[in-house]
Amino acid sequence: MKTYRIATIPGDGIGKEVVPAGREVMQALAEGSDFRFQFEDFDWGGDYYRRHGRMMPDDGLDALRGQDAILFGSAGDPGIPDHITLWGLRLKICQGLDQYANVRPTRILPGIDAPLKRCAPGDLDWVIVRENSEGEYAGVGGRVHQGLPIEAATDVSMMTRAGVERILRFAFRLAGSRPRRHLTVVTKSNAQRHAMVMWDEIAAEIAREFPDVSWDKELVDAATARMVNRPSSLDTIVATNLHADILSDLAAALAGSLGIAPTGNIDPERRGPSMFEPIHGSAFDIMGKGLANPIGTFWSVAMLLEHLGETAAAARLMRAIEAVTADPALHTRDLGGQATTAEVTQAVRERLPAPQTAGAPAA
Ligand code: IPM
Ligand code: MG
């Protein structure tokens, strides 16, 4: 029997509610399957910071390296500045383990009331690939003369040929694995005339390695309008760290809720574990109330299972997720419903198809 070592890092806010829910569903998936999970829980985050003066131990990455995957909740604490919680935990893990490809699938799940009136559910089926190691999040910059009239600050967006080549190669490969086989490369090369022009040039080079994948270019501002006006013209989208951060929130909103959107921070070379998380963040306004939508975490778990090669288990979970979103009585508050985290979790567990029926066509 295969045993997967899974690190769970709930972090802060509703992360502490949705990660245990994700773990519960993973246990249920393993029952009767030919694999099992061995969980190790890490209490890193805001409370850890108050006790130790840092968000995670200095050697924390070493504890993660031997794991097969990481399930993450959220980083953010009302009492600690956001740039400290983010850089001290999530970015430290993503960048420290060089999880350079951030993957964000977006679709309109059954039963979800999406806001675009001229968009049939099948018209919006995207995967956004976000460069996850450099660019605007490179951490290069500085601040001098603080508080003085001559104060100055820079955040330098640093792009390397190696970094751009590898994310574009990953994106072309991913696009080629989807039915549409189409990639849209998003930049801002009209205004940013150095790094973004380099992106465009490298995209044209890498495209030659993937003759089966069609591709086009879009400027990031025009990409927002295209997402709204012509959603079916997009399939796989690749963009810089910040551009894709913004586009993926728009994508999640257009698909009906930030509460259901998943993400994977992937190391495609598998030198270490990849990390999966819902994109909704800490949501302090509802934390501790049992109201958080766990669907974003469950979908992230499905991505985790795919990454481990457990595609049948991932498919079983997606079937259960879609059966639950299809029922408005099982919608949480963010979707306009009244269901609790526990009720949605229980409902997903109950709707998991038995292991042996995995892959069988839906009734
Ligand atoms: C995301 C989030 C984070 C990011 C925030 C919390 C800093 O918005 O995962 O998209 O920008 O990376
Ligand atoms: Mg974001």
Side-chain angles (χ1 to χ4, degrees):
M1 164 118 41
K2 246 173 303 168
T3 300
Y4 295 113
R5 296 184 58 191
I6 307 294
T8 50
I9 309 175
D12 298 308
I14 58 170
K16 291 183 176 145
E17 297 163 60
V18 292
V19 166
R23 193 170 152 154
E24 205 182 310
V25 163
M26 287 172 82
Q27 292 284 27
L29 274 163
E31 276 162 33
S33 298
D34 60 351
F35 61 86
R36 64 189 189 95
F37 298 111
Q38 187 185 317
F39 292 102
E40 192 173 343
D41 196 55
F42 296 88
D43 65 346
W44 304 339
D47 292 338
Y48 188 96
Y49 182 87
R50 274 180 280 277
R51 288 198 305 274
H52 303 279
R54 48 187 183 278
M55 294 289 290
M56 63 184 273
D58 291 335
D59 60 357
L61 290 179
D62 293 333
L64 297 178
R65 274 184 237 278
Q67 311 278 345
D68 293 305
I70 305 165
L71 182 63
F72 188 85
S74 82
D77 186 289
I80 309 169
D82 286 340
H83 64 275
I84 292 181
T85 53
L86 179 71
W87 282 93
L89 188 57
R90 187 163 158 279
L91 286 181
K92 188 168 166 156
I93 297 171
C94 290
Q95 296 194 356
L97 297 178
D98 203 17
Q99 297 161 340
Y100 65 83
N102 183 262
V103 178
R104 302 188 161 191
T106 313
R107 329 190 246 117
I108 302 175
L109 296 186
I112 302 296
D113 180 26
L116 284 181
K117 69 175 180 197
R118 288 191 305 270
C119 174
D123 289 347
L124 197 166
D125 183 355
W126 304 328
V127 179
I128 297 181
V129 176
R130 171 179 179 184
E131 201 295 319
N132 211 32
S133 68
E134 54 177 31
E136 307 87 345
Y137 285 56
V140 178
R143 194 162 165 194
V144 293
H145 308 311
Q146 286 195 38
L148 299 180
I150 56 165
E151 179 166 357
T154 59
D155 276 294
V156 178
S157 168
M158 197 189 62
M159 311 276 183
T160 64
R161 172 168 275 274
V164 177
E165 281 183 1
R166 67 183 185 173
I167 196 65
L168 284 166
R169 204 167 267 125
F170 176 86
F172 270 101
R173 194 173 298 122
L174 180 68
S177 74
R178 289 170 50 84
R180 288 275 307 280
R181 294 196 186 174
H182 185 77
L183 178 68
T184 299
V185 178
V186 171
T187 63
K188 186 65 188 171
S189 51
N190 54 349
Q192 296 182 298
R193 59 199 171 135
H194 307 296
M196 293 283 72
V197 173
M198 182 176 81
W199 262 73
D200 284 356
E201 287 172 12
I202 294 176
E205 287 169 28
I206 302 290
R208 283 185 224 122
E209 297 173 20
F210 297 88
D212 295 345
V213 179
S214 62
W215 71 290
D216 60 1
K217 286 193 292 188
E218 196 68 84
L219 297 170
V220 65
D221 47 351
T224 60
R226 182 166 160 192
M227 286 165 76
V228 172
N229 291 325
R230 290 184 296 132
S232 64
S233 72
L234 293 160
D235 186 78
T236 309
I237 301 164
V238 63
T240 71
N241 214 327
L242 182 62
H243 288 168
D245 174 42
I246 298 164
L247 294 182
S248 58
D249 265 29
L250 174 59
L254 294 177
S257 169
L258 224 59
I260 46 188
T263 187
N265 302 282
I266 312 277
D267 169 12
E269 277 81 54
R270 295 172 185 264
R271 296 156 295 178
S274 294
M275 180 161 81
F276 301 84
E277 55 174 336
I279 79 164
H280 52 56
S282 311
F284 303 124
D285 51 328
I286 57 162
M287 70 188 239
K289 296 183 179 159
L291 299 175
N293 189 346
I295 295 289
T297 300
F298 299 155
W299 195 346
S300 303
V301 166
M303 293 180 75
L304 183 157
L305 293 165
E306 287 268 358
H307 184 75
L308 293 178
E310 297 294 347
T311 44
R316 286 169 60 211
L317 179 51
M318 282 316 293
R319 291 257 297 271
I321 288 172
E322 294 186 7
V324 165
T325 60
D327 182 354
L330 294 168
H331 285 183
T332 42
R333 217 173 61 165
D334 56 304
L335 298 173
Q338 283 172 353
T340 64
T341 313
E343 283 162 359
V344 176
T345 305
Q346 177 66 20
V348 167
R349 289 185 51 163
E350 285 167 6
R351 284 160 183 75
L352 287 174
Q356 62 272 20
T357 64

